[in-house]
Amino acid sequence: MASLSAGFPALDPNVIQLYHTKDPLVENLPVLIFYGPSTTSNATRSTARIQAHVYSLAGFQSFPRLTIAPTSPLYAAVNHLPTDKQGDEVSRGLAISLLSYFAGLSGPVKDKLKQLAGRLRPNHLAPALFDEMHAGQLASEMVKIDSAIGTEIIQILSNAISQQSLSWIDVDLILPPDTIQRVVTKDGSELIPAYGEDGLPLYDYGQFGPLIDQIGHPAFLPTSKLKRAPSRPTAHSKSRGILAKDQKIAIRREMCELLDTEKSYVAKLQHLVSDIAVHFRQYFYEDIQRRGLRAEDDLIDRLFPESLSRIVTTNGEFLLELEDVLSATEEAAIQDIEGLTEGLANLQREQVSSALQKRDPTGTLAFAKILLKWLPKFSGPYQDYMRRSLDLPKALCATREDGASELFRAVNQFGEQRLRSVLIEPVQRLPRYSLLLDNIIGQLPATHPAMSNLLKSKDVLADICALETSSSADTSRTSTLVRRYVRNWPSWLSPRGRLTTALDAMEINPPYGDLSSGQGVLLLLFPDTLIIARKANGNTSLSAKGILAETDRPNTNQTQHQDDDKGLIFAAAFELSKLLVTECANNRAVRLMYTITGPSHVPNGSVSKTSPDVQLKVLSLLGAYDGKANRFSEDVVKARIEGRFTESVRESDKWALRTIESTSGSIGMFVTTHEDGFITQAGAVPENPRIRIEINVRGDSEPFHPHDGGAEMVLRIVPEGSNAYKIETRGVDGSRSSDTSTIDSLGRLLVRKG
């Protein structure tokens, strides 16, 4: 966490006096000065030291100690006071304070105020501003404010100008072409991608590997194919290096149990499809033919959907290959468990499994490969069946509506509870696979060749159970669902990508003193947009947790006819590329500063050409984010990266993500690493990061500037020997610096620069 502003100082009303005036040169905007003797004052006859704290539209600046002396360069403002006030110490102090304040204003702020001052003048030319004459004129017009009012204003500004911190930023690290390579491992004659203990891909950065190692550690960012962080080996498995005999027995037992239960499961499914379903269909169609019933609502297909037949076919083929693998590895596994592995050399090649040839006599690797081959094929039929099974209770109730029907008698004869248990069997099977995999993974060392495939298989099962797919229709469905729940949603607003998170909050009114009162809102975070929906009457039937559950719910008939009026009204939408999120109020609130560079949309859908350049909102976070404003900042940065880079880029072998953790004294960074020119070649044009880091292997002195890539700061790293780097920094505000660092201290230097 890095502090962006120190906040309003603690001022003693008994020491400080408030002075006020309006600036006639800048549309009579107010200027406040809290003035008094410096607490560290060491005045002499020829000098005096004061403190001054100046607040205006241009911002707040604090000067704990200023010297009133003719030798000071700021004393030039005193010469422009009226003659009768040049001898007044307070007037001299106010003039010096204002000139010091003007000197501290940034160029863009001055330019904006000059534009404001000149917009109503001939030729839009502003008068001379921010010089000693301007300071002297304002100081001469300052009026002393009553101490009671001054005390009240101190309290108001203390709330409004609180300390702001920034916990996370996004950084692009651009490497030379052909630098990033995926690490692969040899699996027999096959080369397969390698993964670390965290389940994330491993990359080789060549000569820049030691440099990359100093920039945090690999991080995970969801894609449509991988919605959650990959599963990791358990602590138990990490502590093992070599399999003991009891572990080998346990692993083989779990593999055989999966085979035995799969045989029983497939047999039950075949009986369900070939006998039970056929029996019920016969009764159903007899009702239609004999009694002239309409089949518009095909009740029998609701009970026995077509996907059930596909499950039988898929699991039957899976069972055959699973039997072959366990049969081929059985003898080798028994020999290995009994300590007779050396005798295996005499076995015929046909009798020895490929897993044994790869020094895996238990057959776990071959078993894991079969799982990873077949489990993704389960996705289609199982997810379709799971969605349709949500309608099962209603379908069973429908069979009881006509007590005279043959179908009603058939259900009673078979037993409704028994039928329910049989039909729910495929839904219950998937979690059992996961349990068996957990038992195997818990016995394996993290370096076992089967570990990666087993963890991937477990993630595939988790995605199937969560009804997650890579279909773009899911994204459009989420957007449609959110539109339906939020009234007055503007037609021009169409957020891209998935709903990354939602949270409840309270929008605090100026001067932001009471975080417990305000307008209840719901924040919806997409990869490119943050949407704020106001809760009608401060309340709504749908919380952040509820809307996340609704968007994750499968698309069934049950979700299409629910009450759409959730008491949410569209309030605002902010592009993440123009949004700065900072934390305040001891991590209980966030400030949203949204920069508008041109015409902007307003809630009624029209275009506003007179909207302000910056919009400010202060939000007190509630629920899961209560007291965790830094967590929201992290989510915003990750969403911004997800929106900046297309999914095809993020899934490629030339793009990776690393993170430097945020601490109490430093800022956290999400660092995207990719090769120079790769993003353009991939047909993507990402929005610019806060910071861009370039590796200059040529060592040339070609000039560079943040404006070239739109970043706020650019760092150029030039290697100087085997363990030294030169870091040149350019800021969008014109700042420049140059440092030299070793590899060991490079990470700390980058955090300090950030």
Side-chain angles (χ1 to χ4, degrees):
M1 178 185 298
S3 178
L4 297 185
S5 63
F8 199 80
L11 302 181
D12 185 354
N14 297 320
V15 176
I16 296 297
Q17 183 65 53
L18 174 60
Y19 290 84
H20 164 265
T21 191
K22 294 181 179 180
D23 191 344
L25 299 181
V26 190
E27 296 196 344
N28 289 319
L29 293 175
V31 180
L32 305 179
I33 299 181
F34 298 89
Y35 177 89
S38 174
T39 55
T40 59
S41 176
N42 186 21
T44 66
R45 285 189 176 182
S46 59
T47 66
R49 290 182 177 175
I50 61 167
Q51 60 174 310
H53 314 275
V54 186
Y55 180 70
S56 76
L57 180 66
F60 176 77
Q61 293 185 48
S62 181
F63 307 101
R65 190 172 69 173
L66 289 173
T67 301
I68 303 177
T71 56
S72 170
L74 300 173
Y75 201 81
V78 176
N79 298 328
H80 293 276
L81 286 170
T83 305
D84 60 327
K85 291 192 174 184
Q86 290 186 10
D88 179 51
E89 184 175 336
V90 172
S91 297
R92 294 200 305 268
L94 293 174
I96 288 175
S97 302
L98 284 167
L99 189 56
S100 180
Y101 178 75
F102 291 158
L105 297 180
S106 65
V109 170
K110 289 182 178 179
D111 292 341
K112 187 61 184 177
L113 289 175
K114 288 179 180 178
Q115 179 184 354
L116 186 64
R119 67 180 183 177
L120 298 179
R121 293 174 177 267
N123 299 323
H124 300 287
L125 295 177
L129 298 175
F130 313 123
D131 55 11
E132 57 269 21
M133 185 180 299
H134 188 192
Q137 178 185 352
L138 286 180
S140 66
E141 297 172 355
M142 283 283 173
V143 177
K144 185 177 180 181
I145 302 299
D146 182 80
S147 59
I149 297 178
T151 301
E152 182 180 353
I153 293 178
I154 287 176
Q155 182 60 46
I156 291 174
L157 291 181
S158 296
N159 295 327
I161 310 175
S162 59
Q163 180 179 0
Q164 296 183 60
S165 301
L166 184 64
S167 294
W168 293 93
I169 58 172
D170 56 319
V171 178
D172 280 4
L173 175 59
I174 302 175
L175 299 171
D178 301 322
T179 298
I180 306 176
Q181 303 292 333
R182 277 294 301 271
V183 176
V184 296
T185 58
K186 194 169 184 180
D187 185 9
S189 59
E190 182 184 1
L191 294 177
I192 59 174
Y195 294 83
E197 290 189 1
D198 54 8
L200 297 174
L202 294 177
Y203 294 91
D204 181 3
Y205 297 95
Q207 62 176 315
F208 302 108
L211 183 151
I212 299 297
D213 289 340
Q214 296 300 314
I215 305 178
H217 55 81
F220 171 76
L221 197 66
T223 66
S224 64
K225 294 182 180 178
L226 195 60
K227 302 289 181 71
R228 57 183 59 81
S231 300
R232 302 185 181 189
T234 62
H236 173 75
S237 67
K238 287 183 180 180
S239 64
R240 300 284 194 254
I242 301 176
L243 290 175
K245 181 177 180 179
D246 60 336
Q247 289 177 292
K248 296 177 182 179
I249 294 174
I251 291 171
R252 195 69 192 181
R253 182 177 61 246
E254 296 295 336
M255 293 163 58
C256 292
E257 182 178 347
L258 191 148
L259 175 62
D260 293 339
T261 57
E262 189 70 14
K263 289 180 180 178
S264 175
Y265 171 62
V266 171
K268 288 180 181 179
L269 290 183
Q270 290 173 341
H271 176 60
L272 174 62
V273 172
S274 303
D275 298 325
I276 299 175
V278 171
H279 176 72
F280 276 86
R281 286 181 188 277
Q282 180 181 352
Y283 281 112
F284 178 73
Y285 289 115
E286 283 181 3
D287 280 336
I288 293 176
Q289 294 173 0
R290 293 177 183 177
R291 307 179 64 195
L293 300 177
R294 294 189 307 171
E296 291 179 359
D297 179 18
D298 202 343
L299 180 59
I300 201 68
D301 285 338
R302 292 167 62 191
L303 290 173
F304 305 99
E306 175 272 338
S307 52
L308 193 58
S309 298
R310 287 189 285 139
I311 290 176
V312 173
T313 302
T314 305
N315 278 79
E317 295 174 355
F318 168 60
L319 174 61
L320 292 177
E321 291 204 23
L322 191 62
E323 284 183 305
D324 291 343
V325 166
L326 290 185
S327 175
T329 59
E330 182 177 10
E331 188 170 356
I334 294 174
Q335 295 282 355
D336 179 62
I337 290 172
E338 294 178 351
L340 301 176
T341 305
E342 61 275 6
L344 295 175
N346 299 323
L347 295 176
Q348 294 296 322
R349 183 180 182 86
E350 293 79 12
Q351 296 175 314
V352 182
S353 69
S354 60
L356 176 60
Q357 296 170 9
K358 298 176 179 58
R359 297 183 180 181
D360 176 32
T362 61
T364 312
L365 179 58
F367 173 81
K369 286 184 175 181
I370 290 298
L371 289 178
L372 192 57
K373 173 185 176 181
W374 279 97
L375 289 182
K377 299 179 181 180
F378 287 11
S379 177
Y382 272 93
Q383 288 192 336
D384 181 70
Y385 188 81
M386 290 169 69
R387 290 187 178 98
R388 291 179 176 272
S389 68
L390 296 174
D391 188 47
L392 179 60
K394 285 188 176 181
L396 288 172
C397 289
T399 64
R400 299 194 298 266
E401 292 178 356
D402 186 358
S405 69
E406 293 294 332
L407 184 59
F408 172 76
R409 284 194 285 271
V411 171
N412 275 348
Q413 183 181 1
F414 189 85
E416 182 178 328
Q417 187 58 44
R418 178 186 171 196
L419 180 61
R420 188 188 300 267
S421 299
V422 171
L423 293 174
I424 205 68
E425 185 80 19
V427 179
Q428 296 174 335
R429 181 60 180 168
L430 295 176
R432 291 172 184 166
Y433 289 133
S434 293
L435 290 175
L436 290 169
L437 288 182
D438 283 336
N439 293 338
I440 295 175
I441 291 171
Q443 299 293 335
L444 292 175
T447 55
H448 195 281
M451 180 63 77
S452 176
N453 288 340
L454 290 174
L455 293 174
K456 291 179 187 176
S457 298
K458 186 179 174 184
D459 289 333
V460 170
L461 288 170
D463 284 345
I464 296 175
C465 292
L467 292 177
E468 292 178 347
T469 70
S470 59
S471 172
S472 60
D474 283 355
T475 298
S476 61
R477 174 184 171 269
T478 298
S479 179
T480 302
L481 191 67
V482 173
R483 282 171 178 264
R484 228 171 52 219
Y485 288 160
V486 180
R487 287 182 296 179
N488 300 338
W489 186 285
S491 58
W492 51 265
L493 180 60
S494 182
R496 291 185 291 109
R498 64 192 185 94
L499 177 64
T500 62
T501 191
L503 60 150
D504 298 299
M506 189 83 70
E507 184 175 350
I508 309 304
N509 297 322
Y512 318 118
D514 187 0
L515 296 182
S516 62
S517 65
Q519 171 66 55
V521 296
L522 183 69
L523 304 185
L524 305 172
L525 182 61
F526 290 86
D528 64 336
T529 309
L530 175 65
I531 296 170
I532 301 180
R534 180 167 50 86
K535 298 179 179 179
N537 301 322
N539 198 5
T540 176
S541 61
L542 191 63
S543 64
K545 185 176 180 181
I547 202 166
L548 289 173
E550 288 293 328
T551 55
D552 287 340
R553 191 191 301 273
N555 190 10
T556 67
N557 291 333
Q558 288 177 306
T559 62
Q560 291 176 354
H561 302 289
Q562 296 178 350
D563 180 18
D564 292 343
D565 189 2
K566 304 298 182 181
L568 296 172
I569 304 173
F570 177 81
F574 301 131
E575 298 176 45
L576 296 190
S577 61
K578 302 175 183 178
L579 182 67
L580 175 63
V581 179
T582 60
E583 306 107 46
C584 58
N586 296 320
N587 212 30
R588 293 184 296 121
V590 294
R591 286 178 179 244
L592 308 181
M593 296 183 63
Y594 183 62
T595 304
I596 303 173
T597 56
S600 65
H601 291 283
V602 293
N604 63 10
S606 62
V607 176
S608 170
K609 296 184 179 180
T610 59
S611 54
D613 292 323
V614 175
Q615 291 184 14
L616 172 66
K617 289 184 180 291
V618 176
L619 303 171
S620 175
L621 305 185
L622 308 174
Y625 288 82
D626 185 14
K628 300 177 182 178
N630 57 333
R631 176 185 164 191
F632 176 65
S633 297
E634 179 182 357
D635 288 344
V636 169
V637 170
K638 289 195 292 187
R640 189 169 184 263
I641 293 175
E642 191 173 334
R644 286 179 53 223
F645 296 95
T646 63
E647 191 164 293
S648 60
V649 168
R650 290 186 280 120
E651 290 180 339
S652 71
D653 292 342
K654 298 296 184 180
W655 188 95
L657 181 67
R658 303 182 70 85
T659 181
I660 300 175
E661 295 294 339
S662 173
T663 64
S664 59
S666 63
I667 197 169
M669 297 182 179
F670 281 100
V671 183
T672 66
T673 59
H674 54 87
E675 296 179 355
D676 189 15
F678 166 69
I679 305 300
T680 304
Q681 293 173 6
V685 183
E687 294 169 347
N688 302 301
R690 303 292 184 195
I691 298 177
R692 188 174 76 251
I693 303 175
E694 302 173 352
I695 307 295
N696 184 2
V697 292
R698 301 185 304 271
D700 55 35
S701 57
E702 180 182 350
F704 65 100
H705 192 275
H707 285 305
D708 297 338
E712 296 178 5
M713 180 185 295
V714 173
L715 282 74
R716 175 176 287 179
I717 299 179
V718 182
E720 292 187 341
S722 59
N723 191 38
Y725 295 89
K726 179 182 178 182
I727 297 95
E728 299 175 315
T729 306
R730 300 289 186 271
V732 71
D733 58 354
S735 60
R736 298 187 173 201
S737 66
S738 180
D739 301 270
T740 301
S741 172
T742 62
I743 289 180
D744 296 337
S745 60
L746 181 62
R748 294 190 298 272
L749 177 62
L750 294 180
V751 170
R752 192 172 74 246
K753 292 287 185 181

